[in-house]
Amino acid sequence: MEIKAKELSKVYGSGESRIVAVDKVDLEIAANDFISIMGPSGSGKSTLLHLLSGLDKPTSGSLTYDGKDIYGFADRELSAFRRQRIGFIFQQFNLLPVLTAKENIIMPLLLDKKQPDEAYLKLLTELLGISERLTHLPHELSGGQQQRVAIARALIAQPDIVFADEPTGNLDSKSGGEVMDMLRDIWHRTGKTLVIITHDNRIAKMAERQFVIMDGVLSEVTAR
Ligand code: ADP
Ligand code: ADP
């Protein structure tokens, strides 16, 4: 899937309190791209991720997925599009505490009344090293294991693109490194688009295309 953002901007407030959180961002993301967007706190990373993934609407500018203007979708159409085509990984894992690891992983499919492809589920959980942990509740797992469950959940519907917002932000450097190695391995094997938001330079450097955002202005660091 090809994603094109043109002059994407998000402005909060007005007058004295006016903030340009995302400032005329032009970005083309190709299928199979592995992108990192690095910037300090308050630079506009989360806002840009929300715009790119259709969680939030821009003040101006356009965003297309394979030529389709996703902000032109009706709300229900956009939610279904996000559930089926986009995977999200969050800093806080966002697992449901009363469900087992497996139930958490397949939840996005159940919401669409679909059954998991057991072979794909097995492959994913083996790649992530959690196949022996599927009947455990989140609190019985380490932070790194919880994030790996969340990654399996993000991938179970076989989305075209995965957005990860500070995926290692709550992990120590060892388990954070393991999670990143696994994400990169899965990216290689599945050929999905991966966009990672981070303030950590070591994580940003793992991506093939590296961007920096400062005061809402996005620049590509890698030569193309
Ligand atoms: P980052 O993710 O890099 O920390 P954000 O995208 O969260 O940055 O924020 C970018 C700027 O926009 C910051 O100055 C922040 O205070 C401001 N901002 C973010 N969300 C809102 C909001 N809902 N209302 C007003 N200002 C906001
Ligand atoms: P932060 O980056 O502020 O620590 P998160 O990364 O946990 O917060 O979540 C980022 C945003 O994504 C939240 O503001 C929330 O509105 C949205 N969000 C969280 N979970 C989901 C979800 N499962 N589906 C869609 N949007 C979500």
Side-chain angles (χ1 to χ4, degrees):
M1 198 155 56
E2 194 176 53
I3 304 175
K4 280 189 190 170
K6 268 205 162 141
E7 302 221 338
L8 212 51
S9 294
K10 181 75 179 183
V11 179
Y12 291 114
S14 60
E16 291 276 287
S17 62
R18 185 175 185 272
I19 289 169
V20 183
V22 169
D23 195 358
K24 295 195 183 124
V25 163
D26 288 314
L27 177 61
E28 294 192 7
I29 303 176
N32 305 344
D33 268 354
F34 176 6
I35 287 180
S36 65
I37 300 174
M38 189 174 67
S41 184
S43 57
K45 300 185 297 297
S46 298
T47 305
L48 178 59
L49 181 124
H50 288 183
L51 295 179
L52 291 176
S53 57
L55 287 171
D56 200 1
K57 291 197 169 165
T59 313
S60 59
S62 69
L63 178 73
T64 58
Y65 274 66
D66 282 345
K68 274 186 273 195
D69 171 10
I70 70 158
Y71 300 130
F73 287 1
D75 285 352
R76 285 184 61 179
E77 201 184 355
L78 183 57
S79 314
F81 179 83
R82 270 204 310 266
R83 275 207 308 279
Q84 290 157 14
R85 310 293 295 275
I86 304 179
F88 291 96
I89 300 168
F90 302 98
Q91 179 172 358
Q92 311 292 349
F93 320 142
N94 294 350
L95 300 177
L96 292 170
V98 297
L99 299 184
T100 64
K102 179 172 176 181
E103 289 165 342
N104 268 286
I105 293 169
I106 65 177
M107 180 54 73
L109 296 177
L110 301 184
L111 291 173
D112 278 328
K113 303 193 165 56
K114 289 183 185 152
Q115 287 302 314
D117 173 340
E118 290 292 337
Y120 182 63
L121 178 69
K122 186 164 180 285
L123 172 75
L124 260 187
T125 54
E126 280 173 3
L127 283 176
L128 288 161
I130 50 173
S131 53
E132 306 293 309
R133 294 285 180 278
L134 295 180
T135 58
H136 292 239
L137 293 170
H139 75 86
E140 298 170 322
L141 302 172
S142 70
Q145 288 169 341
Q146 289 183 50
Q147 188 60 305
R148 288 184 263 145
V149 169
I151 291 171
R153 179 186 56 189
L155 289 161
I156 193 70
Q158 304 194 249
D160 299 304
I161 178 162
V162 176
F163 289 100
D165 187 355
E166 302 279 6
T168 62
N170 270 339
L171 303 176
D172 60 49
S173 62
K174 181 167 176 284
S175 44
E178 283 166 8
V179 160
M180 281 304 302
D181 287 340
M182 285 173 182
L183 259 183
R184 185 162 61 178
D185 185 31
I186 289 174
W187 170 74
H188 270 300
R189 285 165 184 258
T190 58
K192 303 208 186 293
T193 311
L194 182 56
V195 178
I196 293 188
I197 304 281
T198 183
H199 62 260
D200 185 335
N201 187 38
R202 288 168 306 175
I203 287 167
K205 281 191 167 150
M206 293 176 77
E208 304 222 314
R209 295 181 68 194
Q210 296 158 32
F211 290 81
V212 165
I213 186 166
M214 292 294 274
D215 296 330
V217 178
L218 187 75
S219 325
E220 184 154 11
V221 181
T222 37
R224 290 223 87 194

